[in-house]
Amino acid sequence: MQQSKEQRVHGVFEKIYENYDQMNSVISFQQHIKWRNDTMKKMNVQKGAKALDVCCGTADWTIALAEAAGKDGEVVGLDFSKNMLKIGEEKLQARSLDQATLIHGNAMELPFEDNSFDYVTIGFGLRNVPDYNQVLREMHRVLKPGGMAVCLETSQPTMPGFKQAYRLYFRFVMPMFGKLFAKSYDEYSWLQESAKDFPGMKELAKMFSDAGFVNVEYKPYSGGVAAVHIGRK
């Protein structure tokens, strides 16, 4: 029986959770941390802010948001993999970040009232959802007017030569890393599939606008292998 994208992704993350952080660092050559730090600078999260991190995984971005929002802030991380959340919980406890909570839930139907958050983020998660537009609409719905939605995600490099090398890397090298480090060749070949089919920067910016966001801007990282998109409500 053909698995749905949702079932398949869920299976992948329930399986690779223990090695996920280490693998991310290997796959992006440690760059994903730099990209996120630069994104956080751009966001300039205010003390006392309310933020939601969708598809939070092992909660690294949730933690960064909680630290920026401070003790008076309120940050929620949401993910549909309980195993990933378990790792996230351990990280939060180790840092005593009481202003952050993690919940099990679906990005396609966010369990929050309209206009609830100052910031809504999604980091390397949009490519794994069944319907990109639906998730962007949900992010728009739960964002307060004047709030900011931010997506940090793999993208499609536009530089000639580089584009081809990136494709080869994703297709052949990355699943091999998965096999070596996480013994999960199939799971990591899924990740390269989802990255390969993900829209380019301009296309994603248009999706942001279609979902209702205004003043949409984006910035490529590392030759376009990743990009941040920011929209306001």
Side-chain angles (χ1 to χ4, degrees), residues 106-174:
N106 189 343
M108 301 274 286
E109 299 170 61
L110 295 173
F112 305 104
E113 301 280 313
D114 297 3
N115 311 319
S116 295
F117 297 96
D118 303 301
Y119 302 90
V120 182
T121 60
I122 186 164
F124 304 104
L126 192 59
R127 65 170 187 259
N128 294 319
V129 302
D131 183 341
Y132 310 138
N133 293 304
Q134 169 64 16
V135 171
L136 288 172
R137 283 193 297 271
E138 276 292 275
M139 287 170 69
H140 183 271
R141 179 182 68 74
V142 301
L143 194 64
K144 291 179 187 174
M148 182 189 278
V150 186
C151 171
L152 181 57
E153 186 54 275
T154 52
S155 193
Q156 307 300 339
T158 45
M159 222 160 66
F162 193 56
K163 194 153 98 176
Q164 286 71 14
Y166 173 76
R167 280 276 160 98
L168 289 171
Y169 172 67
F170 252 101
R171 198 157 154 215
F172 300 108
V173 183
M174 189 169 133

Side-chain angles (χ1 to χ4, degrees), residues 177-197:
F177 274 152
K179 202 169 187 174
L180 284 169
F181 288 89
K183 302 174 187 55
S184 311
Y185 185 87
D186 293 343
E187 283 76 18
Y188 281 92
S189 34
W190 153 256
L191 290 183
Q192 67 85 15
E193 257 173 68
S194 65
K196 185 182 81 204
D197 300 333

Side-chain angles (χ1 to χ4, degrees), residues 51-121:
L52 168 66
D53 186 22
V54 181
C55 301
C56 68
T58 58
D60 282 351
W61 204 353
T62 315
I63 287 165
L65 289 163
E67 287 171 347
K71 288 287 177 213
D72 297 331
E74 195 184 322
V75 178
V76 182
L78 171 138
D79 202 274
F80 73 164
S81 164
K82 285 188 172 160
N83 284 340
M84 298 279 270
L85 289 171
K86 210 158 55 188
I87 305 247
E89 286 289 0
E90 287 163 15
K91 292 183 189 174
L92 287 177
Q93 280 162 12
R95 290 168 178 77
S96 309
L97 289 168
D98 303 333
Q99 64 271 40
T101 38
L102 300 183
I103 63 170
H104 185 244
N106 189 343
M108 301 274 286
E109 299 170 61
L110 295 173
F112 305 104
E113 301 280 313
D114 297 3
N115 311 319
S116 295
F117 297 96
D118 303 301
Y119 302 90
V120 182
T121 60

